[in-house]
């Protein structure tokens, strides 16, 4: 064990050392190597914050990286080769790539991100469900971080499966309950049946004391915000109209997102576009969030209604009621009302003492996640009895989902059919009538309709292939096993329709998780460190180096996974898991030494279905039961991604022509279904695949979402401003405001609104002027105040000189400071103009993902130790591993310098919409605009690929189309 560690440390120190092109860089690298690794922080206030020492910055990015250290943003983005080809360093004579400037830059970035992940796991897990005290104090001699079982995660009396899991005694899921993903999500973790199931409390990633700043429950919150905050303070509709509205030079061509009559292609709703990310990516993430979390029950909130602002604004720092003229100018609606968010508990939380400090046992209020937190495709298959009744199975083969023919359109995919519509007997909200039948039908548009149909087809294609193999070799072992007779082979012909349905669900869920991890995210974060990082989450860093991979896996599972020591169970587990990757972790068990055994043909894998420690053995919750935190929802409020108009194209005519501009709002609810059936999956795929999505930035929300009709509310206006609602919901659920949010997550605070402006030398002066214009509005909306240096405002961090952070944020006492502490978190991350190369999201959002994206893999046994044929069948394992039934298929060339497999979503699209093959042949990542030339190393250029030169989208900024 010690030997292994030494070996790894030596290897890792090489990553940051070596020969550099400049003598100064060489010296800096030598110093860094000599000093060695930074210590993982013992105290919250000492954490890393993404800022490195001068020598480290110089070694990894030369002078430029050193200069930019003074900014509040993380340093790794300034290292060599972390951007496009212009950021690559000088050639070097070293053959070992990790010693070259580019290698040092990329490895350095990965190390920084790993430090952040370790410290996030250490300082940012706050379970609301009653386990936090144990987490902090430990239990029965076991460090809190190493705890694996919690009473709070027992199935309560009254649940149907109570006796089956052990009732009053030790609870352990077994039998039918552990074979597949259960409807309500129970029994993913055998020893914590309730974890991740529907209706569990959202967790937090911030100290409980930092939640609900509006309530002013503690002195720090009062010092931080004075009396400036409230549910409607500052006014959410004013924030929306001033800071979120997309400006239009020709409003009559946009008409608040309704476009022009006849869906004319002359319509234009201008929006700021991301050149490297398409509209399919926007709807993908909405499709994902519907799987992961929801605060609503059956599309509704509580029965109480509340106003949503459009009442007051700050004028020179003083709140003044809006006049009718001002209301008309802003375009907001004082009569809008919304149903209040559900709150699970709002009594005062209990407290406990530890090392002289008092801690809360939960946040001041809590809320529930009404769907399963698992990545289990619950939006397709259901998360409770009601939603399951909406899922229609094919009466001819109940292993399949029901898909029906809808047209005589050309295209081979058409024969695969479309989801059927809801029937009047289905348990639905009246507003969902006319939509395709599926488990999660809320906020349905063409985008959600698209993915639900695609994955329903994929489900059925898996079943078809299984049935084909079963017909060809009926007696062959399917791989599947039944806990009742664990040693009995289940032949292909013996797999029941119900079993096959559940296997297909497992496969589709894993495919979705894979697409998200190695296809969507690397395009969202389009640079080399994140390409490597995301691939290492899935496959491991040492793919293709089996011996190293096996060594790492052994260290992770055998040593750290089973440890009762906090450091091993948490920090080291996280670092070393990068080696083998999280997916499939612990799904093989060898008697002796894993390193040799894995490659010794005489040794056998002794993983056994009968052994709960094998079935459950690959998971790690880091001492805190898994659920998403409230803060995770906040950073997924990605409404600006959505364009107002879809640039509609047709695959069997010239795909370079935009034929119509179809308003997304005209595809809301049942009209999405009509639009899907009229135009077909292939045309929608092509249209959304080629169109760029909206940048996540200020003044870029869809106009239609600010004016969305929600008749269910039965209010005077019948409308709601979803952008304003994003602000209100976060306030109702007590998300800390932006600056404290950053401090809590271990990022540097900002000290004025001007810090948002991107000061890097390469920024176009026009772009900088636009940022400065927006910052002025930010200051106008949130205001300033005279600061008081005697008021300490946070317990999460201290100043560089170890003094407490005060209301003055380093400015002189009594001076006027920006109310940066009051900025709503969504507003803050949208205002982050300074971002790492190729980042469609801000670094603040990314920080939340580093923690939670890994955790939802770490905690799920179906992605780790239960990724096995006993659950997935042999075909299922093959399908997930190779992105389908055809074996490994490699992409031509070496995109961004890597040999890559044909991506998982591209494979899904090729199967489910085969008529798109000629278009898909050109793409490497299905979320990169389909006609864009990816060009060189992580280029963000908006340039047509060969064959798409006539595509109007490449003409001018917005690609105005001529009527065909
Ligand atoms: C294009 C059509 C969309 C429509 C019509 C829509 C509509 C809505 C509405 C009405 C709500 C408020 C629910 C409430 O709190 O009462 C909401 C919440 C939300 N939306 Fe969207 N949205 C759309 C797209 C997206 C996209 C692309 C994302 C990207 C991830 C997204 C993420 C969210 C999130 C995270 C919430 C909070 C959910 C919760 O509180 O549990 N939405 N959306």
């Amino acid at each position: 064990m010690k030997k292994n560690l030494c070996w790894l440390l030596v290897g890792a120190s090489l990553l940051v050392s070596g020969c550099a092109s400049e003598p100064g860089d060489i010296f800096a690298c030598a110093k860094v190597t000599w000093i060695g690794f930074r210590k993982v922080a013992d105290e919250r206030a000492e954490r890393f914050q993404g800022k490195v020492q001068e020598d480290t910055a110089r070694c990894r990015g030369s002078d430029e990286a050193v200069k930019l250290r003074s900014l509040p943003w993380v340093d790794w983005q300034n290292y060599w080769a972390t951007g496009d080809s212009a950021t690559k360093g000088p050639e070097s004579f070293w053959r070992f790539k990790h010693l070259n400037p580019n290698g040092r830059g990329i490895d350095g970035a990965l190390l920084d991100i790993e430090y952040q992940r370790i410290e996030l796991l250490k300082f940012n897990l706050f379970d609301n469900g009653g386990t936090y005290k144990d987490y902090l104090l430990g239990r029965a001699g076991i460090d809190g971080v190493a705890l694996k079982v919690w009473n709070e995660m027992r199935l309560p009396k009254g649940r149907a499966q109570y006796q089956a899991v052990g009732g009053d005694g030790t609870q352990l899921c077994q039998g039918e309950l552990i074979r597949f993903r259960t409807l309500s999500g129970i029994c993913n973790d055998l020893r914590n049946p309730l974890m991740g199931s529907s209706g569990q409390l959202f967790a937090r990633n911030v100290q409980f004391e930092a939640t609900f700043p509006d309530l002013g429950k503690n002195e720090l919150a009062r010092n931080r915000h004075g009396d400036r905050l409230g549910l409607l303070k500052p006014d959410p509709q004013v924030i929306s109209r001033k800071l979120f509205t997309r400006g239009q030079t020709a409003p009559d061509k946009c008409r608040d997102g309704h476009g022009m009559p006849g869906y004319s292609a002359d319509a234009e709703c201008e929006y700021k576009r991301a050149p490297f990310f398409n509209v399919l990516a926007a709807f993908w993430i909405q499709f994902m969030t519907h799987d992961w979390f929801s605060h609503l029950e059956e599309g509704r909130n509580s029965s109480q209604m509340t106003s949503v602002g459009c009442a007051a604004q700050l004028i020179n720092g003083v709140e003044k009621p809006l006049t009718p003229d001002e209301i008309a100018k802003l375009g907001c609606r004082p009569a809008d009302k919304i149903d209040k968010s559900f709150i699970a508990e709002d009594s005062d939380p209990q407290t406990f003492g530890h090392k002289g400090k008092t801690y809360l046992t939960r946040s001041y209020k809590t809320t529930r996640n009404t769907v399963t937190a698992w990545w289990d495709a619950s939006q397709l298959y259901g998360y409770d009895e009601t939603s399951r009744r909406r899922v229609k199975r094919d009466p001819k083969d109940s292993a399949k989902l029901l898909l029906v023919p809808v047209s005589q359109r050309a295209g081979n995919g058409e024969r695969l059919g479309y989801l059927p519509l809801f029937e009047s007997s289905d348990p639905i909200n009246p507003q969902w009538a006319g939509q395709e039948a599926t488990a999660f039908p809320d906020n349905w548009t063409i985008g959600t309709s698209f993915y639900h149909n695609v994955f329903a087809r994929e489900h059925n294609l898996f079943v078809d292939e299984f049935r084909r193999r079963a017909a060809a070799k009926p007696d062959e072992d399917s791989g599947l096993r039944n806990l009742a007779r664990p040693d009995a082979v289940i032949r292909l012909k013996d797999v029941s329709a119900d079993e096959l349905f559940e296997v297909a669900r497992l496969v589709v869920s894993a495919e979705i998780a894979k697409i998200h991890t190695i296809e969507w995210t690397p395009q969202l974060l389009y640079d080399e460190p994140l390409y490597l990082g995301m691939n290492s989450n899935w496959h491991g860093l040492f793919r293709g180096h089996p011996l190293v991979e096996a060594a790492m896996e052994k260290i992770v599972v055998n040593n750290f996974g089973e440890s009762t020591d906090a450091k091993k169970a948490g920090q080291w587990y996280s670092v070393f898991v990068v080696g083998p990757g999280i997916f499939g972790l612990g799904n093989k068990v060898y008697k002796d030494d894993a390193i040799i055994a894995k490659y010794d043909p005489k040794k056998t894998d002794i993983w056994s279905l009968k052994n709960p420690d094998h079935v459950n053995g690959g998971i790690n919750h880091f001492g805190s039961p898994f659920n998403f935190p409230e803060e995770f929802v906040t950073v997924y409020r990605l409404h600006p991604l959505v364009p107002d108009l879809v640039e509609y194209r047709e695959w069997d005519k010239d795909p370079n022509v935009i034929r119509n501009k179809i308003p997304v709002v005209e595809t809301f609810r049942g009209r999405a279904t009509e639009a899907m059936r009229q135009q077909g999956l292939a045309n929608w795929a092509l249209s959304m695949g080629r169109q760029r999505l909206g940048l996540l930035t200020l003044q870029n929300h869809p106009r239609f979402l600010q004016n969305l009709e929600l008749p269910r509310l039965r209010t005077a206006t019948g409308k709601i401003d979803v952008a304003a609602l994003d602000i209100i919901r976060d306030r109702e659920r007590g998300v800390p405001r932006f600056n404290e949010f950053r401090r809590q997550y271990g990022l540097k605070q900002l000290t004025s609104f001007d810090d948002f402006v991107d000061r890097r030398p390469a920024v176009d002066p026009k772009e900088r002027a636009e940022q400065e214009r927006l910052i002025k509005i930010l200051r106008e909306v949130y205001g300033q105040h005279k600061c008081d240096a005697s008021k300490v405002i946070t317990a999460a961090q201290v100043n560089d000189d170890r003094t407490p952070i005060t209301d003055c944020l380093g400015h002189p006492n009594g001076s006027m400071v920006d109310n940066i502490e009051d900025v709503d978190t969504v507003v803050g991350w949208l205002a982050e103009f300074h971002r790492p190369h190729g980042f469609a999201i801000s670094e603040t959002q990314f920080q939340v993902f580093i923690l939670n994206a890994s955790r939802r893999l770490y905690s799920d046994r179906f992605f780790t130790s239960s990724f096995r044929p006993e659950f997935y069948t042999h075909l299922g394992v093959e399908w997930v591993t190779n992105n389908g039934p055809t074996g490994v298929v490699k992409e031509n060339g070496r995109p961004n310098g890597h040999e890559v497999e044909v991506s998982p979503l591209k494979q899904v699209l090729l199967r489910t919409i085969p008529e798109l093959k000629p278009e898909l042949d050109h793409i490497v990542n299905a979320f990169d605009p389909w006609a864009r030339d990816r060009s060189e190393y992580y280029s963000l250029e908006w340039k047509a690929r060969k064959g798409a030169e006539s595509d109007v989208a490449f003409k001018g900024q917005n690609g105005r189309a001529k009527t065909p």
Side-chain angles (χ1 to χ4, degrees), residues 119-131:
E119 293 190 351
L120 284 162
L121 285 166
K122 181 166 183 179
F123 295 116
N124 289 84
L125 299 182
F126 297 89
D127 173 43
N128 261 324
T131 68

mmCIF file with all atom_site columns, all heavy atoms in Angstrom, residues 119-131:
data_model
loop_
_atom_site.group_PDB
_atom_site.id
_atom_site.type_symbol
_atom_site.label_atom_id
_atom_site.label_alt_id
_atom_site.label_comp_id
_atom_site.label_asym_id
_atom_site.label_entity_id
_atom_site.label_seq_id
_atom_site.pdbx_PDB_ins_code
_atom_site.Cartn_x
_atom_site.Cartn_y
_atom_site.Cartn_z
_atom_site.occupancy
_atom_site.B_iso_or_equiv
_atom_site.pdbx_formal_charge
_atom_site.auth_seq_id
_atom_site.auth_comp_id
_atom_site.auth_asym_id
_atom_site.auth_atom_id
_atom_site.pdbx_PDB_model_num
ATOM 1   N N   . GLU A 1 119 ? -11.901 19.029 -1.403 1.00 0.00 ? 119 GLU A N   1
ATOM 2   C CA  . GLU A 1 119 ? -12.346 19.944 -0.335 1.00 0.00 ? 119 GLU A CA  1
ATOM 3   C C   . GLU A 1 119 ? -13.861 20.166 -0.372 1.00 0.00 ? 119 GLU A C   1
ATOM 4   O O   . GLU A 1 119 ? -14.480 20.421 0.660  1.00 0.00 ? 119 GLU A O   1
ATOM 5   C CB  . GLU A 1 119 ? -11.552 21.254 -0.403 1.00 0.00 ? 119 GLU A CB  1
ATOM 6   C CG  . GLU A 1 119 ? -10.081 20.977 -0.060 1.00 0.00 ? 119 GLU A CG  1
ATOM 7   C CD  . GLU A 1 119 ? -9.231  22.217 0.146  1.00 0.00 ? 119 GLU A CD  1
ATOM 8   O OE1 . GLU A 1 119 ? -9.696  23.347 -0.123 1.00 0.00 ? 119 GLU A OE1 1
ATOM 9   O OE2 . GLU A 1 119 ? -8.082  22.060 0.588  1.00 0.00 ? 119 GLU A OE2 1
ATOM 10  N N   . LEU A 1 120 ? -14.434 20.051 -1.543 1.00 0.00 ? 120 LEU A N   1
ATOM 11  C CA  . LEU A 1 120 ? -15.901 20.137 -1.612 1.00 0.00 ? 120 LEU A CA  1
ATOM 12  C C   . LEU A 1 120 ? -16.515 18.948 -0.886 1.00 0.00 ? 120 LEU A C   1
ATOM 13  O O   . LEU A 1 120 ? -17.489 19.088 -0.137 1.00 0.00 ? 120 LEU A O   1
ATOM 14  C CB  . LEU A 1 120 ? -16.358 20.152 -3.081 1.00 0.00 ? 120 LEU A CB  1
ATOM 15  C CG  . LEU A 1 120 ? -16.163 21.481 -3.806 1.00 0.00 ? 120 LEU A CG  1
ATOM 16  C CD1 . LEU A 1 120 ? -16.206 21.291 -5.326 1.00 0.00 ? 120 LEU A CD1 1
ATOM 17  C CD2 . LEU A 1 120 ? -17.222 22.495 -3.375 1.00 0.00 ? 120 LEU A CD2 1
ATOM 18  N N   . LEU A 1 121 ? -15.937 17.776 -1.102 1.00 0.00 ? 121 LEU A N   1
ATOM 19  C CA  . LEU A 1 121 ? -16.451 16.587 -0.405 1.00 0.00 ? 121 LEU A CA  1
ATOM 20  C C   . LEU A 1 121 ? -16.251 16.717 1.101  1.00 0.00 ? 121 LEU A C   1
ATOM 21  O O   . LEU A 1 121 ? -17.023 16.205 1.907  1.00 0.00 ? 121 LEU A O   1
ATOM 22  C CB  . LEU A 1 121 ? -15.735 15.328 -0.914 1.00 0.00 ? 121 LEU A CB  1
ATOM 23  C CG  . LEU A 1 121 ? -16.171 14.827 -2.294 1.00 0.00 ? 121 LEU A CG  1
ATOM 24  C CD1 . LEU A 1 121 ? -15.186 13.809 -2.847 1.00 0.00 ? 121 LEU A CD1 1
ATOM 25  C CD2 . LEU A 1 121 ? -17.569 14.212 -2.238 1.00 0.00 ? 121 LEU A CD2 1
ATOM 26  N N   . LYS A 1 122 ? -15.207 17.419 1.466  1.00 0.00 ? 122 LYS A N   1
ATOM 27  C CA  . LYS A 1 122 ? -14.903 17.545 2.890  1.00 0.00 ? 122 LYS A CA  1
ATOM 28  C C   . LYS A 1 122 ? -15.752 18.624 3.582  1.00 0.00 ? 122 LYS A C   1
ATOM 29  O O   . LYS A 1 122 ? -16.158 18.449 4.728  1.00 0.00 ? 122 LYS A O   1
ATOM 30  C CB  . LYS A 1 122 ? -13.416 17.880 3.030  1.00 0.00 ? 122 LYS A CB  1
ATOM 31  C CG  . LYS A 1 122 ? -12.954 18.021 4.449  1.00 0.00 ? 122 LYS A CG  1
ATOM 32  C CD  . LYS A 1 122 ? -11.451 18.001 4.545  1.00 0.00 ? 122 LYS A CD  1
ATOM 33  C CE  . LYS A 1 122 ? -11.025 18.079 6.000  1.00 0.00 ? 122 LYS A CE  1
ATOM 34  N NZ  . LYS A 1 122 ? -9.582  18.035 6.157  1.00 0.00 ? 122 LYS A NZ  1
ATOM 35  N N   . PHE A 1 123 ? -16.002 19.733 2.875  1.00 0.00 ? 123 PHE A N   1
ATOM 36  C CA  . PHE A 1 123 ? -16.629 20.872 3.561  1.00 0.00 ? 123 PHE A CA  1
ATOM 37  C C   . PHE A 1 123 ? -18.051 21.204 3.122  1.00 0.00 ? 123 PHE A C   1
ATOM 38  O O   . PHE A 1 123 ? -18.663 22.119 3.641  1.00 0.00 ? 123 PHE A O   1
ATOM 39  C CB  . PHE A 1 123 ? -15.776 22.131 3.346  1.00 0.00 ? 123 PHE A CB  1
ATOM 40  C CG  . PHE A 1 123 ? -14.425 22.047 3.975  1.00 0.00 ? 123 PHE A CG  1
ATOM 41  C CD1 . PHE A 1 123 ? -13.273 22.064 3.194  1.00 0.00 ? 123 PHE A CD1 1
ATOM 42  C CD2 . PHE A 1 123 ? -14.285 21.957 5.350  1.00 0.00 ? 123 PHE A CD2 1
ATOM 43  C CE1 . PHE A 1 123 ? -12.016 21.985 3.772  1.00 0.00 ? 123 PHE A CE1 1
ATOM 44  C CE2 . PHE A 1 123 ? -13.037 21.887 5.942  1.00 0.00 ? 123 PHE A CE2 1
ATOM 45  C CZ  . PHE A 1 123 ? -11.886 21.889 5.160  1.00 0.00 ? 123 PHE A CZ  1
ATOM 46  N N   . ASN A 1 124 ? -18.575 20.502 2.118  1.00 0.00 ? 124 ASN A N   1
ATOM 47  C CA  . ASN A 1 124 ? -19.840 20.985 1.564  1.00 0.00 ? 124 ASN A CA  1
ATOM 48  C C   . ASN A 1 124 ? -20.994 19.984 1.584  1.00 0.00 ? 124 ASN A C   1
ATOM 49  O O   . ASN A 1 124 ? -21.956 20.143 0.840  1.00 0.00 ? 124 ASN A O   1
ATOM 50  C CB  . ASN A 1 124 ? -19.624 21.500 0.139  1.00 0.00 ? 124 ASN A CB  1
ATOM 51  C CG  . ASN A 1 124 ? -18.846 22.802 0.135  1.00 0.00 ? 124 ASN A CG  1
ATOM 52  O OD1 . ASN A 1 124 ? -17.623 22.793 0.191  1.00 0.00 ? 124 ASN A OD1 1
ATOM 53  N ND2 . ASN A 1 124 ? -19.555 23.916 0.144  1.00 0.00 ? 124 ASN A ND2 1
ATOM 54  N N   . LEU A 1 125 ? -20.908 18.962 2.420  1.00 0.00 ? 125 LEU A N   1
ATOM 55  C CA  . LEU A 1 125 ? -22.019 18.014 2.490  1.00 0.00 ? 125 LEU A CA  1
ATOM 56  C C   . LEU A 1 125 ? -22.840 18.276 3.750  1.00 0.00 ? 125 LEU A C   1
ATOM 57  O O   . LEU A 1 125 ? -22.326 18.155 4.866  1.00 0.00 ? 125 LEU A O   1
ATOM 58  C CB  . LEU A 1 125 ? -21.495 16.578 2.474  1.00 0.00 ? 125 LEU A CB  1
ATOM 59  C CG  . LEU A 1 125 ? -20.703 16.202 1.215  1.00 0.00 ? 125 LEU A CG  1
ATOM 60  C CD1 . LEU A 1 125 ? -20.256 14.743 1.270  1.00 0.00 ? 125 LEU A CD1 1
ATOM 61  C CD2 . LEU A 1 125 ? -21.522 16.447 -0.051 1.00 0.00 ? 125 LEU A CD2 1
ATOM 62  N N   . PHE A 1 126 ? -24.084 18.661 3.554  1.00 0.00 ? 126 PHE A N   1
ATOM 63  C CA  . PHE A 1 126 ? -24.967 18.965 4.682  1.00 0.00 ? 126 PHE A CA  1
ATOM 64  C C   . PHE A 1 126 ? -26.302 18.276 4.429  1.00 0.00 ? 126 PHE A C   1
ATOM 65  O O   . PHE A 1 126 ? -27.112 18.757 3.635  1.00 0.00 ? 126 PHE A O   1
ATOM 66  C CB  . PHE A 1 126 ? -25.172 20.481 4.822  1.00 0.00 ? 126 PHE A CB  1
ATOM 67  C CG  . PHE A 1 126 ? -23.900 21.216 5.133  1.00 0.00 ? 126 PHE A CG  1
ATOM 68  C CD1 . PHE A 1 126 ? -23.086 21.680 4.106  1.00 0.00 ? 126 PHE A CD1 1
ATOM 69  C CD2 . PHE A 1 126 ? -23.504 21.424 6.442  1.00 0.00 ? 126 PHE A CD2 1
ATOM 70  C CE1 . PHE A 1 126 ? -21.901 22.345 4.381  1.00 0.00 ? 126 PHE A CE1 1
ATOM 71  C CE2 . PHE A 1 126 ? -22.314 22.087 6.732  1.00 0.00 ? 126 PHE A CE2 1
ATOM 72  C CZ  . PHE A 1 126 ? -21.511 22.545 5.701  1.00 0.00 ? 126 PHE A CZ  1
ATOM 73  N N   . ASP A 1 127 ? -26.491 17.152 5.081  1.00 0.00 ? 127 ASP A N   1
ATOM 74  C CA  . ASP A 1 127 ? -27.739 16.419 4.892  1.00 0.00 ? 127 ASP A CA  1
ATOM 75  C C   . ASP A 1 127 ? -28.806 17.002 5.804  1.00 0.00 ? 127 ASP A C   1
ATOM 76  O O   . ASP A 1 127 ? -28.569 17.218 6.996  1.00 0.00 ? 127 ASP A O   1
ATOM 77  C CB  . ASP A 1 127 ? -27.516 14.929 5.217  1.00 0.00 ? 127 ASP A CB  1
ATOM 78  C CG  . ASP A 1 127 ? -28.824 14.163 5.190  1.00 0.00 ? 127 ASP A CG  1
ATOM 79  O OD1 . ASP A 1 127 ? -29.613 14.401 4.252  1.00 0.00 ? 127 ASP A OD1 1
ATOM 80  O OD2 . ASP A 1 127 ? -29.062 13.346 6.092  1.00 0.00 ? 127 ASP A OD2 1
ATOM 81  N N   . ASN A 1 128 ? -29.986 17.246 5.237  1.00 0.00 ? 128 ASN A N   1
ATOM 82  C CA  . ASN A 1 128 ? -31.096 17.813 6.002  1.00 0.00 ? 128 ASN A CA  1
ATOM 83  C C   . ASN A 1 128 ? -31.905 16.758 6.752  1.00 0.00 ? 128 ASN A C   1
ATOM 84  O O   . ASN A 1 128 ? -32.787 17.087 7.533  1.00 0.00 ? 128 ASN A O   1
ATOM 85  C CB  . ASN A 1 128 ? -32.054 18.546 5.047  1.00 0.00 ? 128 ASN A CB  1
ATOM 86  C CG  . ASN A 1 128 ? -31.804 20.042 5.039  1.00 0.00 ? 128 ASN A CG  1
ATOM 87  O OD1 . ASN A 1 128 ? -31.485 20.628 6.071  1.00 0.00 ? 128 ASN A OD1 1
ATOM 88  N ND2 . ASN A 1 128 ? -31.957 20.665 3.890  1.00 0.00 ? 128 ASN A ND2 1
ATOM 89  N N   . GLY A 1 129 ? -31.596 15.482 6.468  1.00 0.00 ? 129 GLY A N   1
ATOM 90  C CA  . GLY A 1 129 ? -32.471 14.411 6.954  1.00 0.00 ? 129 GLY A CA  1
ATOM 91  C C   . GLY A 1 129 ? -32.192 13.924 8.360  1.00 0.00 ? 129 GLY A C   1
ATOM 92  O O   . GLY A 1 129 ? -32.724 12.896 8.765  1.00 0.00 ? 129 GLY A O   1
ATOM 93  N N   . GLY A 1 130 ? -31.319 14.617 9.103  1.00 0.00 ? 130 GLY A N   1
ATOM 94  C CA  . GLY A 1 130 ? -31.092 14.237 10.503 1.00 0.00 ? 130 GLY A CA  1
ATOM 95  C C   . GLY A 1 130 ? -29.765 13.534 10.746 1.00 0.00 ? 130 GLY A C   1
ATOM 96  O O   . GLY A 1 130 ? -29.482 13.092 11.861 1.00 0.00 ? 130 GLY A O   1
ATOM 97  N N   . THR A 1 131 ? -28.918 13.421 9.733  1.00 0.00 ? 131 THR A N   1
ATOM 98  C CA  . THR A 1 131 ? -27.660 12.684 9.914  1.00 0.00 ? 131 THR A CA  1
ATOM 99  C C   . THR A 1 131 ? -26.467 13.610 10.140 1.00 0.00 ? 131 THR A C   1
ATOM 100 O O   . THR A 1 131 ? -25.338 13.149 10.316 1.00 0.00 ? 131 THR A O   1
ATOM 101 C CB  . THR A 1 131 ? -27.340 11.821 8.673  1.00 0.00 ? 131 THR A CB  1
ATOM 102 O OG1 . THR A 1 131 ? -27.026 12.686 7.570  1.00 0.00 ? 131 THR A OG1 1
ATOM 103 C CG2 . THR A 1 131 ? -28.503 10.936 8.277  1.00 0.00 ? 131 THR A CG2 1
#
